[in-house]
Amino acid sequence: LRQLIRERAFSFINLIGLTAGVFVCLFIAQFVWFEHSFERFNKNAGRTYRVNLYNTSNGIFEGISAGTVPGLAYAMKQTLPGVESIARVSTKEDVVVFNPQSQVQNLENSIVRADASAHDILGIELIGGKQFAQNSKDGLMISRSMAMRYFGSLDVVGKILEIGFPDAKIKILPMKVEGIFEDISP
């Protein structure tokens, strides 16, 4: 304490340096933890990449989205030699899901539309049903918790759920449940 008081300028510089060093170490540790917290459910996370679209209007940057232009997946598969598989994935917000048999209806915050290869790429474990057919337009894969919420059991393959997209021209779209996957933890 006596030396700290006697050498005030030197002590101040040392305390500032120590504080900055601890802050930087904590910041780097938090950054590394955050970067490694994504896609823990995916066993292929190290080999999975996301293509982003940088949106501009009249040369002015407007934002980044995961949506890409049609045909990009095919072009990437044909021209990039390291591409093993591609899945297009998009989300829809505030979607009405209705079971016509049990009259259960809910507003789902978000649902995901994906190509048939998405469950292989993302490592999603199927617990019932089969893998998506490549050209299945009316097929639906649901999670374990969604199966229990709408049907009350896991024996739901072949049953119908009606999906309503508020902004679409077709208000209600009947879709057949083709499979069930294990709930994905965030």
Side-chain angles (χ1 to χ4, degrees):
L1 284 176
R2 209 176 330 161
Q3 182 150 351
L4 288 175
I5 293 170
R6 198 170 357 146
E7 301 287 337
R8 286 187 181 136
F10 184 71
S11 299
F12 180 73
I13 291 171
N14 280 340
L15 284 174
I16 292 296
L18 178 66
T19 304
V22 169
F23 175 75
V24 167
C25 284
L26 289 174
F27 180 75
I28 290 172
Q30 198 277 335
F31 176 78
V32 169
W33 175 83
F34 177 76
E35 289 297 319
H36 287 284
S37 68
F38 289 101
E39 301 214 13
R40 289 191 176 191
F41 70 91
N42 186 356
K43 63 183 177 194
N44 300 323
R47 297 175 37 218
T48 304
Y49 298 90
R50 175 177 158 171
V51 176
N52 289 327
L53 178 66
Y54 287 78
N55 301 314
T56 61
S57 177
N58 296 327
I60 299 171
F61 177 73
E62 291 183 344
I64 301 172
S65 69
T68 56
V69 296
L72 181 64
Y74 178 77
M76 287 177 65
K77 184 78 170 163
Q78 297 302 314
T79 59
L80 298 174
V83 175
E84 296 174 23
S85 184
I86 291 180
R88 296 171 299 160
V89 178
S90 67
T91 59
K92 287 287 187 183
E93 306 295 324
D94 298 328
V95 177
V96 177
V97 179
F98 177 67
N99 180 351
Q101 294 173 337
S102 65
Q103 300 295 308
V104 174
Q105 178 175 327
N106 284 315
L107 179 67
E108 297 291 337
N109 292 337
S110 176
I111 66 167
V112 176
R113 292 180 176 181
D115 288 341
S117 58
H119 90 277
D120 287 332
I121 292 172
L122 297 176
I124 297 172
E125 179 186 345
L126 294 177
I127 58 173
K130 60 181 173 111
Q131 178 179 336
F132 266 143
Q134 281 298 108
N135 296 321
S136 178
K137 301 269 188 241
D138 65 343
L140 182 68
M141 300 288 277
I142 61 175
S143 66
R144 174 190 291 266
S145 62
M146 195 170 178
M148 295 305 290
R149 183 170 46 245
Y150 288 99
F151 298 101
S153 75
L154 296 179
D155 185 26
V156 299
V157 176
K159 295 186 179 178
I160 302 293
L161 279 177
E162 293 180 353
I163 311 294
F165 300 101
D167 60 342
K169 292 178 184 171
I170 301 172
K171 292 295 182 192
I172 300 210
L173 185 64
M175 301 188 88
K176 182 172 65 171
V177 176
E178 290 188 359
I180 305 169
F181 58 89
E182 205 51 72
D183 288 334
I184 299 171
S185 60

